[in-house]
Amino acid sequence: MVFHEKYMRRCLELAALGIGNVSPNPMVGAVIVHHDIIIGEGFHQKYGAAHAEVNAVNEVIQNYSNYEDILKQATIYVSLEPCAHFGKTPPCADLIIRHQIPNVVIGCRDPFTEVNGKGIDKLKEAGVNIIVGVLENECIYINRRFFTRVLKQRPYVILKWAQTSDGFFAPNIKSQFWITGIEAKKLVHQWRGEEDAVLVGKNTAEIDNPMLNVRYGSGKAPKRVVIDRNLSLSSSLNIFDNSVQTFIFNATKMDVEGKNTFIDLEDFDHYVPEYILYQLYLQDVQSIIIEGGAKTLNSFIASNLWDEARIFTGKVNLKDGIKAPDITGNIASTYKIGNDELLIFENVINSVIYESHKSD
């Protein structure tokens, strides 16, 4: 098994290149090995485009005139179970069988109902030698957004906020107040380009008038989500500029105006985070960053509807103001970002790795 791990690690490196571009599909990497030499690599680059296995096989075909003979003696490593159904592209299991690749090493099973175990079964029925579970937890983790959506019917939730060194979120007065430096801002914009959507509450939209885009980063601009119960926000705010799809959760209106979609939750007194996440799940939103304000963040924490929290602590003190949210979880990592400290927490209770093993 250790022999296979070095190639599976390469699959994971390749899979990570697809972040921000393949949702709601998973990120997948594939490596083809012949006599302990990598002869082809590929990853899923864009939603609706060729899968990792196809790109890896095509690289072999392009580089070797005797590709038919080589593939019949090769092993293909893939971080996620090859699909067995027709979706946007043909089944990858059929591709492997057609080229008579004799050995397939798989990182983890695909939890999606149309695939789960079916790709493995199809390959076994064709006489392919199968190994499953190489770096399994790592392969699940890289696709924690995809697994969360499939297993929990909700997006993967990332909480993000900045707090002062004395534990405050913002001043009591309604005014914009920057806690962190430009390095943190650039990193947040990069994060936005990696996720499907970003959410703010009414007060944050009103006070900060954010664009919620990636102008200091790269990648596509995320969809925007705002909670505005009584639709009291001004239509002139940046969030309503129709530049990207924007969801407005409210208690009075269900309509579509350009790229602004109004969703009436009807009951704004109970289970608001649950209703919002389920509606976003129905819209194929696989991951979301919740950026504030404090009331909004606390509502998701209280409902235990979060998977990851990214918390910046700046050097400034407020001495008084709105307290930063309290959160309990495993500290996964700490970083120095400019003059600020970044702590990343993971919610072990919601661990998709545990959930996926439980469902086996």
Side-chain angles (χ1 to χ4, degrees):
M1 194 70 76
V2 174
F3 170 81
H4 297 301
E5 288 183 2
K6 65 177 180 178
Y7 297 119
M8 192 58 69
R9 290 194 190 281
R10 180 56 182 162
C11 289
L12 290 169
E13 291 174 354
L14 291 165
L17 298 175
I19 191 165
N21 296 313
V22 301
S23 176
N25 281 354
M27 297 182 290
V28 184
V31 170
I32 299 176
V33 177
H34 181 254
H35 294 330
D36 205 23
I37 296 174
I38 294 177
I39 59 171
E41 295 183 336
F43 67 97
H44 186 29
Q45 300 178 19
K46 185 179 180 181
Y47 176 68
H51 287 187
E53 297 93 323
V54 175
N55 290 329
V57 168
N58 283 344
E59 188 169 278
V60 176
I61 292 173
Q62 291 167 9
N63 293 333
Y64 296 89
S65 59
N66 60 336
Y67 69 87
E68 291 182 347
D69 294 331
I70 291 177
L71 288 174
K72 290 176 183 178
Q73 303 168 32
T75 299
I76 184 167
Y77 292 79
V78 59
S79 54
L80 189 71
E81 176 182 2
C83 59
H85 69 296
F86 282 88
K88 294 283 185 181
T89 59
C92 291
D94 288 359
L95 173 77
I96 293 168
I97 293 168
R98 185 169 70 252
H99 287 286
Q100 299 179 49
I101 301 174
N103 307 298
V104 179
V105 180
I106 298 167
C108 64
R109 288 167 62 125
D110 187 329
F112 183 52
T113 304
E114 294 293 324
V115 182
N116 196 350
K118 296 181 176 67
I120 293 170
D121 289 344
K122 179 177 277 192
L123 291 169
K124 285 182 177 178
E125 289 169 5
V128 177
N129 300 313
I130 302 289
I131 296 175
V132 182
V134 176
L135 298 182
E136 183 175 24
N137 287 346
E138 291 89 336
C139 291
I140 294 171
Y141 185 76
I142 198 171
N143 273 315
R144 57 197 180 277
R145 298 164 180 82
F146 174 73
F147 274 72
T148 295
R149 181 177 181 274
V150 172
L151 296 175
K152 298 177 182 289
Q153 287 79 57
R154 66 165 175 82
Y156 183 86
V157 176
I158 300 168
L159 308 180
K160 190 281 295 180
W161 72 86
Q163 60 189 27
T164 63
S165 59
D166 53 351
F168 290 99
F169 183 84
N172 281 322
I173 58 172
K174 291 187 175 183
S175 63
Q176 192 174 54
F177 182 80
W178 285 104
I179 294 173
T180 55
I182 187 64
E183 297 88 354
K185 178 185 284 189
K186 288 179 178 178
L187 181 57
V188 169
H189 283 229
Q190 187 63 41
W191 287 342
R192 289 175 183 169
E194 296 173 354
E195 311 303 336
D196 286 352
V198 56
L199 179 150
V200 295
K202 170 185 169 294
N203 287 341
T204 299
E206 189 171 52
I207 296 166
D208 294 345
N209 192 19
M211 298 182 199
L212 302 181
N213 59 20
V214 294
R215 61 193 181 279
Y216 294 113
S218 60
K220 61 177 177 52
K223 297 175 182 177
R224 300 177 298 201
V225 184
V226 63
I227 304 171
D228 183 14
R229 180 173 184 162
N230 298 314
L231 294 179
S232 59
L233 289 172
S234 169
S235 61
S236 65
L237 291 174
N238 290 323
I239 202 167
F240 302 125
D241 66 5
N242 270 298
S243 60
V244 296
Q245 186 172 16
T246 299
F247 300 101
I248 303 100
F249 286 95
N250 67 93
T252 62
K253 182 177 180 178
M254 185 76 76
D255 199 4
V256 177
E257 298 175 359
K259 292 183 178 180
N260 296 327
T261 301
F262 296 84
I263 300 177
D264 179 3
L265 289 186
E266 297 181 1
D267 184 359
F268 242 89
D269 296 314
H270 304 93
Y271 307 111
V272 172
E274 288 87 344
Y275 288 142
I276 288 174
L277 292 183
Y278 184 66
Q279 288 295 326
L280 293 175
Y281 161 78
L282 295 178
Q283 297 289 336
D284 277 343
V285 173
Q286 186 162 267
S287 62
I288 186 166
I289 302 177
I290 298 176
E291 295 197 8
K295 180 180 177 181
T296 300
L297 288 161
N298 280 321
S299 70
F300 281 85
I301 293 170
S303 300
N304 193 37
L305 287 172
W306 66 278
D307 301 287
E308 195 176 318
R310 302 173 181 179
I311 306 167
F312 292 99
T313 301
K315 296 288 188 183
V316 299
N317 290 318
L318 267 177
K319 297 182 180 178
D320 190 23
I322 299 169
K323 291 291 291 182
D326 289 321
I327 199 162
T328 302
N330 276 10
I331 298 179
S333 50
T334 61
Y335 303 96
K336 190 75 172 174
I337 308 296
N339 292 321
D340 308 311
E341 181 185 59
L342 169 63
L343 267 66
I344 298 182
F345 288 81
E346 292 181 346
N347 189 344
V348 178
I349 295 174
N350 285 341
S351 169
V352 75
I353 293 175
Y354 168 77
E355 190 76 19
S356 62
H357 289 317
K358 186 176 71 174
S359 64
D360 285 347

